[in-house]
Amino acid sequence: MLAVTLCIGAMAAIGYTSVSSESRQAPEVSEVSAHSISSTNSASSKSSGLSENITFDNIPLSEIARQLSETFGCTVVFADKAAEDIRLYFTIPKGSTAADFVAIIDDYDTLAANIKDNTITIKLQEGQQ
Amino acid sequence: MRIRTLALLLLLTAAAASAGTRISKTYTRRPLPEVLVDIDKTAPEVSIRFIYNKLEDYLVSCSLHSATPLEAVQQAVGFYPIRVTRKDSIVIVEPVYETDRKIIGRVVNDKSHPLEFANISLYTADSTFVTGGVTNSNGDFVVPCPHRQVIARITFIGYKPFDRAFSFHNGENALQAGTIVLREDPQTLREVIVEQDLATTSAGKSTYIPTKRQRNAATDATALLQHMMIPQLRVNPASGYVTTLSGEAVSIFIDHIPASAEDLSGMNTQDVRRVEILDFPTDVRFQGKKHVVHFIMQKYTLGGYTKLATTDMILADFTSTNSVYSKLAHKRWTFDANITGRFSSQSHIGMEKTETFYLPSQAITRTETAHGGKQRSERKSASLRATYNSDKMQLANRFELLDEKTPRQELYGSVVYSPAVCQPTCSESSREARQLTPTYKGDWNFFLPNGWSLSASPSLQFSRNKQGRLYKEASPIEYNVKENAYKAEWVTLAGKSFAKKHSLQTGTYGFNYNSSMDYSGSTTAHQDMDYLALGIPVIYKFQAQKLKLEAQAVATYEHNEVNGETLSKWAPMASLEATYAFTPKNSLEAELGVGLYGANGAERNPNIMQENELLYYCGNPLVENYNSYFGRLQYTWMPSNKFTASALLEHYYHRDYFANVWNICNGGTAILRGIENVGDAHFTNISASLTLRLSDGSLQLNASPYLSLQDVSGLNKMKDSAFFLDLKASYYIGQFYFRGCYSLPEKVYYRENTSWLRRRSVYYITAGWGSKHWKAKADIVNPFRTDWRANSSTIATPLYSQRSESFNSSSHQRINLTLTYIFNYGKKVKQGNELGTASGGQSSIL
């Protein structure tokens, strides 16, 4: 597995409730296809969770991972590149932590996720590759 | 203060939960993700999750009318191969198949009208079936396709099949089949027969769908079970009592709320959607019951109905049962009210008995001959239940009041002793009894986040009993007893499901019975009794499509106090159950377990009472509960709607069980019947039930043979066997039906009474007619039997033997007439579960 780590500066908790596919911004870093996304952010949301509900509507998982890795101050690693392009719809509730995000992703039959040492690993379920 | 706080909490929770969204919208050829997002935004109480890439090709055409968010999602998904998984408030929508490749198209007829429910089947080149799909109301279909090359066959009733080959190129994931036009085929239209599977089985659950003619014909729930001839159940045609094939009690639930057999008599059978037979159900709402019959009813939101019912027995004395039942539903609330009255007047009752007392000095035979008897009894009950239903909870609270009395029971006879130790005398026995019982019963089910669920079922019952008996023989024996009793029962179960297939449950089972009795007359005594039984279960369940496992361990505690004498004991219980469903047509169930049998209040009553000149009886507060080890194997086979069958083999080993024993008393002049732990017993039961449906279900035949083998050691040593056979046939013609039943004489061993009971054979013919509002039936029972002999029983022990025969109307020729009428009101009627008559309080009166 190729792992490229990108460091993104600290960022406040995400301040919007919905991101649509039409309005979503291009990633701030050019290496969007990289297999690992991380942040050194240690904002309050890391311990206390999200400050409000966030709905991801038709957003690629790579972008979701980028947003939330900044918020939670963790690293997201994609074990399967194909997983990055999966566009999801879900709402992550206020107060959620990185572990809750992992649980949401893991609930999809298509995806599998786990967290260890502040690193979230996302991959496709067996048979989906 | 605590009660007030709890009530406030419940009200707040109910108010919070009642704010559910109802969705009424129409979608026409809209992409599924768009519809799901719309539902998610409309209903804040749910959170929908899905993957865009997987669902974008699915087009939705549907109309939602006051649908809950979950119903809205399910209707939007329709017959597409898409799984909807609910996890608390989260709804996950994902395709069933893992592949990304799919074939997309639309099916119309030659007039360009979309064909709904057309079948699309994909085959490989060697004709192996791959996957399939069904068109929606707009004719659209999306069929996942794991193979690169397939042949699609599109079929629809009355149309010529359409075949087409598809090939996926590298990197290609979606093939557009375009619009496929099917041409009519009048020849096939005449040939097509559509048949729904009326019975299916899976691990731990068998599902039966009643036919329209069965629902139309049945006057109540147990009558419906009789009409359905479910092979795993035995329904007593006379009493309506429902058991498993081996005679074990079943718990009956209606839409997850417990209902007694009596409650079911008021059901509107037109509303039964399906009947589930559940063994060790995983859902905590079934309160850990072992065998469950679950009626799934049509739900309704606004409206109600009233049902009037009368059942009268004529030719053999007179019994009349009349009831009025009303149901009213408004949004999430349902109210049920019921009043039932039963009046009975019998003038052919009595018992003849020949007893032999093997006293130290000599054997004395006492022969009691019946000369006549009369009895009048009344039973009146009223009940009210309020049920609240939401996605998060189901709360049912029921209040009942039962007034039951036997104002008069008189028996006349004569008694002869041989040798003549007493002069021949005429005997006269009179008895009167009254019981007044108010009861509260709650059934509260909560569905909590993160896979947690909670079920609590408390009940509280007070009972005031009065009974008087006067027996005149050589000298009068009289007793009067007054009793105040209360009974509290509860089941609480908390469950947590994890990793989709596993669940863990724990909670408490509790039973507390307290009774205070005063005896006067020939015997003066006072008894205070307090009995407490507690169980703490830990249950692990695994439920997959084909395999179900359950391991249960229960720690039981029992405390019994009778007039200051106490007995407390902890005991373990355990069971292991596994069911494997080979296909939806057959399943095998195995069970191993250890159970505990405890003595009831009357069996622990230490007061010595006199039955006749030579016989006394009492209970035993120190009798030990006993363990029962059992194994069971049951196979169910449903090859088609024409034939269903079930076969069962089970073995019980009762270790040092308690039973009646007879000892010399009063210095060798009389016999005392008591209760002691007497030895071991082995019982083996082999039974089967086979149901055959011919002429499109117009003719139904059922045979249920049963063989039991008994091997008892110890004080009541005995080895014997008994065979029983039940034959039934039903024939339906239009709105009429006819049914015949013949049951062989039955021999049953009651190990705790040390007696063999012999039931006489039963044969009857039923003629009935049913419509949506009116139902009528006449049971002509034992039409050629003019005597009044009923059951007989025998006891044979070293110190005492007895042969008795009772007389009443149970085996006499008679006609039971039943008439019911239902009228509906309200705008939108969907009828549901029923409330019925109250159940009597428990009593320790011997």
mmCIF file of all heavy atoms in Angstrom, chain B residues 491-510:
data_model
loop_
_atom_site.group_PDB
_atom_site.id
_atom_site.type_symbol
_atom_site.label_atom_id
_atom_site.label_comp_id
_atom_site.label_asym_id
_atom_site.label_seq_id
_atom_site.Cartn_x
_atom_site.Cartn_y
_atom_site.Cartn_z
ATOM 1 N N VAL B 491 -41.785 -9.630 33.794
ATOM 2 C CA VAL B 491 -40.677 -10.074 32.942
ATOM 3 C C VAL B 491 -40.012 -8.803 32.430
ATOM 4 O O VAL B 491 -40.676 -7.945 31.869
ATOM 5 C CB VAL B 491 -41.166 -10.903 31.741
ATOM 6 C CG1 VAL B 491 -39.993 -11.274 30.843
ATOM 7 C CG2 VAL B 491 -41.887 -12.150 32.185
ATOM 8 N N THR B 492 -38.732 -8.651 32.674
ATOM 9 C CA THR B 492 -37.998 -7.539 32.065
ATOM 10 C C THR B 492 -36.837 -8.148 31.286
ATOM 11 O O THR B 492 -36.158 -9.046 31.791
ATOM 12 C CB THR B 492 -37.433 -6.559 33.117
ATOM 13 O OG1 THR B 492 -36.583 -7.291 33.995
ATOM 14 C CG2 THR B 492 -38.536 -5.903 33.908
ATOM 15 N N LEU B 493 -36.658 -7.689 30.095
ATOM 16 C CA LEU B 493 -35.561 -8.192 29.276
ATOM 17 C C LEU B 493 -34.899 -7.030 28.548
ATOM 18 O O LEU B 493 -35.588 -6.207 27.940
ATOM 19 C CB LEU B 493 -36.071 -9.182 28.236
ATOM 20 C CG LEU B 493 -36.193 -10.661 28.624
ATOM 21 C CD1 LEU B 493 -36.725 -11.455 27.453
ATOM 22 C CD2 LEU B 493 -34.859 -11.236 29.084
ATOM 23 N N ALA B 494 -33.585 -6.971 28.650
ATOM 24 C CA ALA B 494 -32.828 -5.975 27.896
ATOM 25 C C ALA B 494 -31.974 -6.740 26.895
ATOM 26 O O ALA B 494 -31.358 -7.751 27.252
ATOM 27 C CB ALA B 494 -31.952 -5.148 28.821
ATOM 28 N N GLY B 495 -31.989 -6.294 25.669
ATOM 29 C CA GLY B 495 -31.240 -7.001 24.641
ATOM 30 C C GLY B 495 -30.337 -6.061 23.871
ATOM 31 O O GLY B 495 -30.630 -4.877 23.706
ATOM 32 N N LYS B 496 -29.221 -6.595 23.432
ATOM 33 C CA LYS B 496 -28.281 -5.809 22.618
ATOM 34 C C LYS B 496 -27.873 -6.691 21.436
ATOM 35 O O LYS B 496 -27.400 -7.821 21.630
ATOM 36 C CB LYS B 496 -27.064 -5.439 23.474
ATOM 37 C CG LYS B 496 -25.835 -5.010 22.700
ATOM 38 C CD LYS B 496 -25.884 -3.554 22.307
ATOM 39 C CE LYS B 496 -24.562 -3.124 21.662
ATOM 40 N NZ LYS B 496 -24.776 -2.222 20.534
ATOM 41 N N SER B 497 -28.107 -6.194 20.247
ATOM 42 C CA SER B 497 -27.677 -6.952 19.077
ATOM 43 C C SER B 497 -26.367 -6.360 18.575
ATOM 44 O O SER B 497 -26.144 -5.146 18.661
ATOM 45 C CB SER B 497 -28.736 -6.899 17.983
ATOM 46 O OG SER B 497 -28.989 -5.565 17.630
ATOM 47 N N PHE B 498 -25.502 -7.229 18.122
ATOM 48 C CA PHE B 498 -24.225 -6.749 17.614
ATOM 49 C C PHE B 498 -23.787 -7.585 16.422
ATOM 50 O O PHE B 498 -24.168 -8.762 16.315
ATOM 51 C CB PHE B 498 -23.144 -6.719 18.711
ATOM 52 C CG PHE B 498 -23.029 -7.985 19.495
ATOM 53 C CD1 PHE B 498 -22.115 -8.959 19.141
ATOM 54 C CD2 PHE B 498 -23.849 -8.213 20.591
ATOM 55 C CE1 PHE B 498 -22.008 -10.125 19.864
ATOM 56 C CE2 PHE B 498 -23.750 -9.394 21.321
ATOM 57 C CZ PHE B 498 -22.832 -10.349 20.952
ATOM 58 N N ALA B 499 -23.030 -6.957 15.549
ATOM 59 C CA ALA B 499 -22.522 -7.598 14.327
ATOM 60 C C ALA B 499 -23.646 -8.282 13.550
ATOM 61 O O ALA B 499 -23.457 -9.354 12.982
ATOM 62 C CB ALA B 499 -21.401 -8.580 14.648
ATOM 63 N N LYS B 500 -24.829 -7.704 13.592
ATOM 64 C CA LYS B 500 -25.976 -8.090 12.769
ATOM 65 C C LYS B 500 -26.584 -9.452 13.121
ATOM 66 O O LYS B 500 -27.782 -9.643 13.008
ATOM 67 C CB LYS B 500 -25.632 -8.039 11.287
ATOM 68 C CG LYS B 500 -25.341 -6.618 10.817
ATOM 69 C CD LYS B 500 -24.844 -6.557 9.423
ATOM 70 C CE LYS B 500 -24.414 -5.117 9.088
ATOM 71 N NZ LYS B 500 -23.776 -4.994 7.814
ATOM 72 N N LYS B 501 -25.789 -10.437 13.521
ATOM 73 C CA LYS B 501 -26.331 -11.783 13.707
ATOM 74 C C LYS B 501 -26.350 -12.234 15.165
ATOM 75 O O LYS B 501 -26.912 -13.270 15.482
ATOM 76 C CB LYS B 501 -25.513 -12.788 12.886
ATOM 77 C CG LYS B 501 -25.713 -12.618 11.396
ATOM 78 C CD LYS B 501 -24.819 -13.527 10.613
ATOM 79 C CE LYS B 501 -25.026 -13.298 9.117
ATOM 80 N NZ LYS B 501 -24.020 -13.963 8.310
ATOM 81 N N HIS B 502 -25.707 -11.503 16.024
ATOM 82 C CA HIS B 502 -25.585 -11.942 17.415
ATOM 83 C C HIS B 502 -26.408 -11.036 18.323
ATOM 84 O O HIS B 502 -26.562 -9.845 18.066
ATOM 85 C CB HIS B 502 -24.128 -11.884 17.878
ATOM 86 C CG HIS B 502 -23.186 -12.611 16.965
ATOM 87 N ND1 HIS B 502 -22.844 -13.922 17.152
ATOM 88 C CD2 HIS B 502 -22.547 -12.199 15.844
ATOM 89 C CE1 HIS B 502 -22.016 -14.294 16.191
ATOM 90 N NE2 HIS B 502 -21.826 -13.263 15.382
ATOM 91 N N SER B 503 -26.936 -11.605 19.374
ATOM 92 C CA SER B 503 -27.590 -10.768 20.375
ATOM 93 C C SER B 503 -27.415 -11.400 21.751
ATOM 94 O O SER B 503 -27.276 -12.616 21.889
ATOM 95 C CB SER B 503 -29.064 -10.567 20.057
ATOM 96 O OG SER B 503 -29.771 -11.768 20.156
ATOM 97 N N LEU B 504 -27.414 -10.531 22.722
ATOM 98 C CA LEU B 504 -27.249 -10.940 24.112
ATOM 99 C C LEU B 504 -28.397 -10.335 24.895
ATOM 100 O O LEU B 504 -28.720 -9.144 24.714
ATOM 101 C CB LEU B 504 -25.898 -10.419 24.629
ATOM 102 C CG LEU B 504 -25.205 -11.193 25.729
ATOM 103 C CD1 LEU B 504 -25.006 -12.657 25.360
ATOM 104 C CD2 LEU B 504 -23.879 -10.541 26.054
ATOM 105 N N GLN B 505 -29.018 -11.122 25.743
ATOM 106 C CA GLN B 505 -30.154 -10.617 26.508
ATOM 107 C C GLN B 505 -29.999 -11.006 27.969
ATOM 108 O O GLN B 505 -29.490 -12.075 28.294
ATOM 109 C CB GLN B 505 -31.466 -11.210 25.974
ATOM 110 C CG GLN B 505 -31.796 -10.776 24.562
ATOM 111 C CD GLN B 505 -33.002 -11.507 23.997
ATOM 112 O OE1 GLN B 505 -33.658 -12.278 24.669
ATOM 113 N NE2 GLN B 505 -33.287 -11.244 22.731
ATOM 114 N N THR B 506 -30.506 -10.130 28.807
ATOM 115 C CA THR B 506 -30.586 -10.461 30.228
ATOM 116 C C THR B 506 -31.737 -9.682 30.832
ATOM 117 O O THR B 506 -32.284 -8.773 30.209
ATOM 118 C CB THR B 506 -29.267 -10.167 30.955
ATOM 119 O OG1 THR B 506 -29.360 -10.683 32.284
ATOM 120 C CG2 THR B 506 -28.974 -8.678 31.015
ATOM 121 N N GLY B 507 -32.105 -10.044 32.051
ATOM 122 C CA GLY B 507 -33.226 -9.363 32.693
ATOM 123 C C GLY B 507 -33.654 -10.114 33.928
ATOM 124 O O GLY B 507 -32.824 -10.769 34.587
ATOM 125 N N THR B 508 -34.930 -10.032 34.250
ATOM 126 C CA THR B 508 -35.449 -10.778 35.400
ATOM 127 C C THR B 508 -36.824 -11.337 35.070
ATOM 128 O O THR B 508 -37.612 -10.720 34.342
ATOM 129 C CB THR B 508 -35.606 -9.881 36.652
ATOM 130 O OG1 THR B 508 -36.483 -8.795 36.328
ATOM 131 C CG2 THR B 508 -34.287 -9.339 37.124
ATOM 132 N N TYR B 509 -37.094 -12.534 35.585
ATOM 133 C CA TYR B 509 -38.450 -13.069 35.606
ATOM 134 C C TYR B 509 -38.850 -13.068 37.080
ATOM 135 O O TYR B 509 -38.058 -13.480 37.930
ATOM 136 C CB TYR B 509 -38.504 -14.523 35.120
ATOM 137 C CG TYR B 509 -37.931 -14.772 33.752
ATOM 138 C CD1 TYR B 509 -37.126 -15.885 33.501
ATOM 139 C CD2 TYR B 509 -38.217 -13.914 32.689
ATOM 140 C CE1 TYR B 509 -36.617 -16.137 32.240
ATOM 141 C CE2 TYR B 509 -37.699 -14.161 31.428
ATOM 142 C CZ TYR B 509 -36.896 -15.267 31.212
ATOM 143 O OH TYR B 509 -36.391 -15.512 29.966
ATOM 144 N N GLY B 510 -40.034 -12.639 37.384
ATOM 145 C CA GLY B 510 -40.437 -12.604 38.787
ATOM 146 C C GLY B 510 -41.871 -13.030 38.984
ATOM 147 O O GLY B 510 -42.735 -12.808 38.125
#
